[in-house]
DNA sequence: AATGCGGGGGT
DNA sequence: ACCCCAGCATT
């Protein structure tokens, strides 16, 4: 098949000007490629780099990952966000190990059937590990193609996804799909950047429709608007006999599979005086003897769709109250083996943020 | 088709 | 403040 001018120029740039090292570059082990791609979903290379190295070091093979304890894997993922990626990673590692005898699937259809693997990740694995001709379509590819070909179809619409996927596969270098896919993403990340693209030294300048029309900084188009909401989470860090009360989040909500302390969610800000804490414990847990240790200052955490605000109220009690469904008492020395959201780790790791002591 | 999921980094 | 990042699952 004849290559487009775009493809030729991109591949030439890749040969002479692309110097972007990454720990998984040139890797051919499908397990390692898969792991790197899951880590990199909606995550910048710089942020995922260290996580990849720690995962490979701890779990060199898919069998090692499949055999690991859930908590250990989540602890390693802690801080990376989008925790369902980690849950699906474990599900797929165990599926490959048990159902496929450890043999990683080697067709696009079988790869895309894995939990946590969608069109982008399947194309990446298929091309990098098996040299199959599937074009990746990620944020970089949307941006590069929208600008170079001057396409103003919204990339977050069904029509846009179809249009860009079709074009991406049309300009794919089918002789070396892996190298091409790596090249277009590197090009998007280093030259055709979201902000301050390097048009003045770009080898595609003369054929770039966006550059000719002066619309580079308007592309790509998105049509959906982000809505945000505020939540107040009040955490009671309850200690009793060297143990602390924790809960694994399971609800259809943020931080699924991570741990938290006893939580009270409110629709608005609340004050926590010593009297109010004592009243709350009496009403909620039927505990009357509460030693209030500290109340933290107001803490905030900005998520993509939510602004989390809240405080940490640390107390000690003498006797374990009535059984609390879905909560468990964990030895204080074991708390560090559990994965917590950043909102909670901020509190745990910053003693000075404990606030008012009682 | 629409919604929601984290945390880091840039402007 | 707002946007983006090697997207995906769910409804």
């Amino acid at each position: 098949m004849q290559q487009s001018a775009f493809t030729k120029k991109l591949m030439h740039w890749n040969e002479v000007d692309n110097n972007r090292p990454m720990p998984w570059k040139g890797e051919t082990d499908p397990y390692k490629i898969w792991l790197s791609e899951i880590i990199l979903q909606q995550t910048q290379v710089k942020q995922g780099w260290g996580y990849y190295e720690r995962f490979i070091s701890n779990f060199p093979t898919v069998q090692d990952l499949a055999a690991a304890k859930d908590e250990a894997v989540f602890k390693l993922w802690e801080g990376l966000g989008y925790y369902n990626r980690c849950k699906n990673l474990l599900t797929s590692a165990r599926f490959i190990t048990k159902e496929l005898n450890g043999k990683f699937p080697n067709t696009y259809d079988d790869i895309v059937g894995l939990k946590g693997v969608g069109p982008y990740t399947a194309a990446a694995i298929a091309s990098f590990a098996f040299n199959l001709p599937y074009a990746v379509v990620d944020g970089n590819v949307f941006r590069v193609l929208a600008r170079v070909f001057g396409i103003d179809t919204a990339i977050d619409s069904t029509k846009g996804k179809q249009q860009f996927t079709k074009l991406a596969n049309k300009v794919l270098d089918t002789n070396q799909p892996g190298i091409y896919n790596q090249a277009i993403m590197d090009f998007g990340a280093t030259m055709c950047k979201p902000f301050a693209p390097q048009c003045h030294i770009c080898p595609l300048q003369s054929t770039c429709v966006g550059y000719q029309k002066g619309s580079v900084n308007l592309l790509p188009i998105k049509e959906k608007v982000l809505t945000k909401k505020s939540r107040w989470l009040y955490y009671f860090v309850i200690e009793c006999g060297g143990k602390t009360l924790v809960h694994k989040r399971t609800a259809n909500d943020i931080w699924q599979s991570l741990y938290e302390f006893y939580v009270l969610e409110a629709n608005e800000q609340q004050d926590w005086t010593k009297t109010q804490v004592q009243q709350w414990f009496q009403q909620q847990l039927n505990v009357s003897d509460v030693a209030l240790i500290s109340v933290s200052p107001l803490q905030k955490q900005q998520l993509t769709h939510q602004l989390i605000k809240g405080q940490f109220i640390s107390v000690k009690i003498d006797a374990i109250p009535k059984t609390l469904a879905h909560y468990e008492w964990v030895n204080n020395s074991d708390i560090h083996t559990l994965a917590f959201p950043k909102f909670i780790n901020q509190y745990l790791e910053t003693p000075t943020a404990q606030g008012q002591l009682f």
Side-chain angles (χ1 to χ4, degrees), chain A residues 272-314:
Chain A
W272 292 101
T273 63
K274 189 172 182 176
T275 306
Q276 282 165 317
V277 171
Q278 286 171 338
Q279 283 179 355
W280 187 85
F281 266 82
Q282 180 67 60
Q283 287 166 9
Q284 297 296 317
L285 303 177
N286 197 25
V287 170
S288 54
D289 200 6
V290 180
L292 178 56
I293 309 297
S294 62
V295 176
S296 80
L298 188 66
Q299 294 204 187
K300 295 180 184 178
Q301 164 94 38
Q302 183 69 67
L303 307 183
T304 301
H305 296 84
Q306 302 181 19
L307 175 59
I308 310 296
K309 304 179 200 174
Q311 285 175 287
F312 291 82
I313 297 114
S314 174

Side-chain angles (χ1 to χ4, degrees), chain A residues 62-76:
Chain A
V62 69
Q63 287 86 355
D64 296 321
L65 179 57
K69 301 269 192 202
D70 287 22
E71 310 311 346
V73 181
F74 277 103
K75 187 66 185 177
L76 212 51

Side-chain angles (χ1 to χ4, degrees), chain A residues 73-329:
Chain A
V73 181
F74 277 103
K75 187 66 185 177
L76 212 51
W77 195 276
E78 183 182 49
L80 194 55
Y82 285 165
Y83 297 93
N84 272 328
R85 291 185 291 171
C86 184
K87 186 181 174 186
N88 290 332
L89 189 76
L90 267 170
T91 300
S92 290
R94 287 165 184 164
F95 172 76
I96 293 166
T97 299
K98 290 174 187 160
E99 307 299 327
L100 306 182
N101 290 321
K103 185 178 182 300
F104 207 96
N106 60 3
T107 68
Y108 178 91
D109 287 343
D110 286 343
I111 296 168
V112 84
L114 296 171
K115 277 276 188 192
V117 174
Y120 161 77
T121 304
I125 298 171
S127 63
F128 295 148
F130 304 110
N131 207 35
L132 294 170
Y134 292 87
V136 293
V137 184
D138 74 332
N140 292 301
V141 175
F142 276 121
R143 187 172 58 254
V144 170
L145 295 182
R147 288 171 174 174
V148 172
F149 291 90
I151 302 169
D152 60 3
T153 314
I155 63 172
D156 54 355
S157 66
T158 301
K159 184 184 168 191
K161 282 171 194 156
Q162 289 173 348
Q163 186 180 350
F164 280 94
T165 300
K166 189 176 175 185
L167 175 58
N169 279 289
K170 187 181 162 192
V171 296
L172 170 69
D173 184 342
T174 53
N175 293 320
Q176 33 190 352
I179 293 173
Y180 166 89
N181 278 337
Q182 186 63 60
I184 191 170
M185 290 192 285
D186 286 342
F187 183 78
T190 61
M191 293 287 293
C192 200
K193 299 185 290 181
F195 299 98
Q198 308 292 297
C199 297
H200 57 290
I201 55 169
C202 180
L204 288 163
Q205 191 193 89
S206 62
T207 52
C208 179
V209 175
Y211 185 81
Q212 305 304 327
K213 289 186 174 177
S215 59
V216 166
N217 290 314
L218 304 175
L219 298 171
I221 303 286
K222 282 192 180 179
E223 63 184 8
K224 294 184 173 50
V225 195
L226 198 63
T227 56
K228 292 195 177 182
K229 64 174 179 178
S230 283
R231 298 168 74 173
W232 278 264
L233 299 180
Y234 294 100
Y235 279 115
F236 293 87
V237 186
I238 308 173
E239 215 182 308
C240 181
K243 294 173 185 285
T244 301
L245 192 61
V246 298
H247 164 244
K248 186 171 184 173
R249 289 181 67 89
T250 54
N252 219 10
D253 198 353
I254 56 172
W255 302 329
Q256 198 176 128
S257 305
L258 299 196
Y259 282 82
E260 65 184 358
F261 301 113
Y262 196 87
V263 63
L264 167 67
E265 173 153 13
N267 292 321
E268 51 192 23
Q269 190 161 1
Q270 297 205 358
D271 288 329
W272 292 101
T273 63
K274 189 172 182 176
T275 306
Q276 282 165 317
V277 171
Q278 286 171 338
Q279 283 179 355
W280 187 85
F281 266 82
Q282 180 67 60
Q283 287 166 9
Q284 297 296 317
L285 303 177
N286 197 25
V287 170
S288 54
D289 200 6
V290 180
L292 178 56
I293 309 297
S294 62
V295 176
S296 80
L298 188 66
Q299 294 204 187
K300 295 180 184 178
Q301 164 94 38
Q302 183 69 67
L303 307 183
T304 301
H305 296 84
Q306 302 181 19
L307 175 59
I308 310 296
K309 304 179 200 174
Q311 285 175 287
F312 291 82
I313 297 114
S314 174
V315 306
K316 278 190 180 173
I317 57 179
D318 289 330
I320 289 185
K322 64 177 180 181
T323 309
L324 294 160
H326 309 303
Y327 278 86
E328 52 189 308
W329 292 94

Side-chain angles (χ1 to χ4, degrees), chain A residues 39-40 42-49:
Chain A
I39 287 175
L40 291 172
Q42 289 293 284
T43 303
Q44 294 194 343
V45 167
K46 192 170 154 190
Q47 189 189 0
W49 189 305

